[in-house]
Amino acid sequence: MHEVGLIQNAVAMALETVRSRGAGRVHAIRLRIGAMSGVVPEALQFAFDLACRGTPAEGAALEIEAVPAVCWCAACAAEFACDDFLGECPRCHAVSAELRRGTEMELAAVEVS
Amino acid sequence: MRDKCEGEKTSGDGGTSHDHATGRQTIPVERALLEKNDTLAERNRDLFRARGLLVLNVLSAPGSGKTTLIQKTAEALAGRCRLGVVVGDLATDNDAARLRAAGVPVVQITTGTVCHLEADMVARAAAQLDLTALDVLVIENVGNLVCPADFDLGEELRVVLLSVTEGEDKPVKYPPLFHSANIVVITKTDLAAAAGFEREKAWLHLRRVSHHAEIFEVSARTGQGMREWADYLAQLRARRKR
């Protein structure tokens, strides 16, 4: 997986934010990671400390908001959680083609001072 | 998340919250981690569309028959569509050499340790091809069913291969990639009986995961199903040209 590259992007964006705000340090980096993104949170954590070393983000906390996968069932006009990745509506058992949430890989916020 | 006293927080500045006790601010960023790749992919897509190219991103596990399918597709389209290839591997230019020997214009990308292609690699490689002389550009991704799923390259269509020797349940084992497929090609159908491949089961699994995909079944080696596949691509390309 490419967690190292993703975390490097996240840290680079956080450092950009720090610079643009005239702040000095990053205390926390908050990511939003979808269950269908294929990203392994543990691997992000593992890469994070290394990516921060020697930067104003050194020692920062990595906070990961996990976004569950949610599909839309057109027949029932309702959302449902798809824990098994297969998108079968628990009410009518139709297969949903519309994954509404769960592919996120985003930098949500940074905490700076 | 850190605890904050409501009384000490001020908010205004685009959702920024300020904690006066610690002097720390939480700044909303809301940017995609792959934003740079996504931007470059859009740039690729604009360039490819302006040239009227049909661009396919071909993905599968290693050994599913990507290179052979591409080579035989080029042959099946000969006289109708000119096909060029960008091929990614961790190392060697064996795949490119095979395609070049078959007379297909090809650029090899060796990614080193990177397990997938990214949009900027494709942009650099495509710049080495005479795109005005092509109708279809095929991007042969690194053999991998996990990582390439997240990386838009600027393709028009994602083509995911499933060879009969891999087992019918591959799609449900790797849902994100199969879910993102516009086309699934079941390959090596000439080996189906020897591999004990249960076609009905494979279709059932594909239908559960690859909701958006057109499904083709081919044997690039015997030519079975290749005409239907090549005709489909030629039609897509013709539509693009209009």
Side-chain angles (χ1 to χ4, degrees), chain A residues 9 32 37 107-108 110 112, chain B residues 25 27 29-31 33 150 211:
Chain A
N9 291 355
R32 199 174 289 128
S37 66
L107 175 59
V110 289
V112 303
Chain B
Q25 287 182 282
I27 303 171
V29 183
E30 302 297 341
R31 285 168 71 181
L33 296 182
D150 289 331
H211 308 128

Side-chain angles (χ1 to χ4, degrees), chain A residues 80-94:
Chain A
F80 62 91
C82 52
D83 304 328
D84 58 358
F85 298 97
L86 299 175
E88 189 177 305
C89 174
R91 280 172 289 263
C92 70
H93 301 288

Side-chain angles (χ1 to χ4, degrees), chain B residues 177-227:
Chain B
L177 186 65
F178 279 93
H179 181 80
S180 73
N182 302 108
I183 298 170
V184 171
V185 184
I186 299 173
T187 59
K188 308 189 188 183
T189 54
D190 54 311
L191 301 178
F197 181 72
E198 294 181 53
R199 183 175 178 271
E200 300 303 318
K201 213 185 264 180
W203 275 74
L204 204 70
H205 287 312
L206 281 171
R207 282 287 164 238
R208 292 186 72 189
V209 181
S210 305
H211 308 128
H212 318 278
E214 293 276 341
I215 301 174
F216 290 87
E217 293 170 285
V218 307
S219 164
R221 188 157 288 174
T222 66
Q224 186 182 46
M226 284 300 290
R227 206 163 114 190

Side-chain angles (χ1 to χ4, degrees), chain A:
Chain A
M1 204 49 205
H2 44 273
E3 279 81 356
V4 174
L6 288 173
I7 215 70
Q8 284 171 336
N9 291 355
V11 172
M13 286 181 194
L15 294 175
E16 267 174 44
T17 308
V18 163
R19 277 193 298 274
S20 71
R21 293 296 182 117
R25 275 186 54 72
V26 178
H27 297 282
I29 293 182
R30 203 162 297 148
L31 303 183
R32 199 174 289 128
I33 302 294
M36 283 286 269
S37 66
V39 174
V40 182
E42 290 77 8
L44 289 177
Q45 189 69 57
F46 183 76
F48 182 66
D49 296 339
L50 213 60
C52 292
R53 197 169 291 171
T55 75
E58 184 158 348
L62 178 66
E63 298 167 359
I64 297 175
E65 180 193 333
V67 183
V70 170
C71 289
W72 170 252
C73 177
C76 300
E79 291 186 342
F80 62 91
C82 52
D83 304 328
D84 58 358
F85 298 97
L86 299 175
E88 189 177 305
C89 174
R91 280 172 289 263
C92 70
H93 301 288
V95 171
S96 164
E98 192 184 336
L99 181 66
R100 287 207 161 165
R101 288 189 294 285
T103 58
E104 296 81 353
M105 288 185 288
E106 295 162 358
L107 175 59
V110 289
E111 190 180 307
V112 303
S113 71

Side-chain angles (χ1 to χ4, degrees), chain B residues 17 21 38 57 76 82 87 120 150 153 156 174 194 205 221 224:
Chain B
S17 65
D38 293 343
N57 181 5
R82 297 159 301 175
V87 50
D120 68 325
D150 289 331
L153 303 179
E156 201 66 43
Y174 297 88
H205 287 312
R221 188 157 288 174
Q224 186 182 46

